[in-house]
Structure formats: C-alpha cells, structure tokens
Amino acid sequence: MTFDAGTWWLLTVIVTTVVGLVGFLFGRSVFRQLDENRADIKQVRENYTPRDDHQKDLERLRTAHQKDVEALRREMKEMRTEMRTEIRQMSDDVKDIKENCIRREEFVSHQLKLENKLDRLMEFMMKQGGN
C-alpha cells in the first residue's frame, strides 16, 4: 500500500485535529480544575483564621477560666467561713435555749398543777362563802 501526498496531508490534518482536540479538552479540564482550586484557596484565605490566632484565643480563654475558678474558690471559702460562723452561733443559741427555757411538756405540767391549785382554792372559797 502506497500513500500519495494527498493521503499524507489528510492523515496529518486528522492526526493534528485529534491531537489538538485532545489537548484542548485536557487543557480545559485542567484549567477549570485550577480555577476551582484558586476559588477554594481564596475562600479559605478570606474565611479562615490562622492557627496562631486560635492559639491566642485559647490561651485567653484558659486565663479567663482560671481567673473564674480562682474567684469561685475564694467565694466558696468565704461562704464556708460564714457558714461555720453561723452554725457556731446557732449552736450557742440552742445551748442557751436548752439552759434557759422549759419544754412544752414541763409547761403543760406546771399549768395543770396551777389549775388544780386554782380549782382547790375555788372549792375552798365556795365552802367558806357558804358558811
């Protein structure tokens, strides 16, 4: 089989067209992907903060948390001291009540004795008034 100049020219044009078409499609695909990557990189640069900034924020939060914990500990210590003082005072008050006051049962007992005496006195006066 022999090819003349026209056949070689046609074959060259077809091969060149196919190579050009494949190159164009490959280039279009690659450049589209590059454009998408550039857009993603731009979005990352605009929307995200550097790691150092996060570390600074984290340290600031830790410091604030430590201060809050220390303040809470001081407050709890003050509350414990205040509670102990109040408990001691209440204990002293209870001791004072036990020493200086009478119980309900004792009060009722004394009231009954007094009523009995008043009843006897009334009976005596009624007997004397009748004589």
Side-chain angles (χ1 to χ4, degrees):
M1 183 188 272
T2 59
F3 294 112
D4 63 348
T7 307
W8 282 111
W9 178 82
L10 183 61
L11 188 61
T12 305
V13 168
I14 291 174
V15 170
T16 304
T17 304
V18 169
V19 169
L21 187 60
V22 168
F24 172 75
L25 293 175
F26 178 74
R28 194 172 109 191
S29 173
V30 168
F31 288 120
R32 184 183 323 135
Q33 188 63 36
L34 285 174
D35 289 341
E36 289 175 7
N37 288 344
R38 282 187 191 123
D40 290 343
I41 289 171
K42 183 179 179 184
Q43 182 182 6
V44 167
R45 284 184 180 156
E46 290 174 357
N47 296 333
Y48 293 90
T49 57
R51 184 179 299 252
D52 292 339
D53 291 346
H54 287 288
Q55 290 295 83
K56 289 175 187 175
D57 290 343
L58 183 61
E59 288 301 320
R60 185 176 44 82
L61 288 174
R62 282 183 183 155
T63 303
H65 177 70
Q66 287 174 348
K67 288 179 183 178
D68 290 344
V69 168
E70 289 173 7
L72 185 61
R73 284 182 180 158
R74 282 193 302 272
E75 186 177 333
M76 291 292 289
K77 195 172 190 178
E78 291 171 4
M79 286 176 66
R80 274 192 234 130
T81 304
E82 184 179 328
M83 291 290 287
R84 285 184 184 131
T85 303
E86 289 183 17
I87 289 172
R88 279 192 205 113
Q89 184 179 3
M90 287 170 45
S91 177
D92 291 342
D93 290 345
V94 168
K95 286 178 186 175
D96 184 50
I97 288 171
K98 283 182 177 179
E99 290 175 4
N100 298 323
C101 296
I102 61 172
R103 294 193 173 148
R104 181 178 175 272
E105 293 83 18
E106 292 175 8
F107 176 75
V108 169
S109 170
H110 288 288
Q111 286 294 94
L112 287 175
K113 286 180 186 177
L114 186 59
E115 283 180 21
N116 285 336
K117 287 180 182 178
L118 285 174
D119 287 342
R120 285 196 320 243
L121 182 61
M122 262 320 232
E123 286 176 15
F124 178 72
M125 288 182 69
M126 302 249 316
K127 284 182 188 176
Q128 291 295 333
N131 282 336

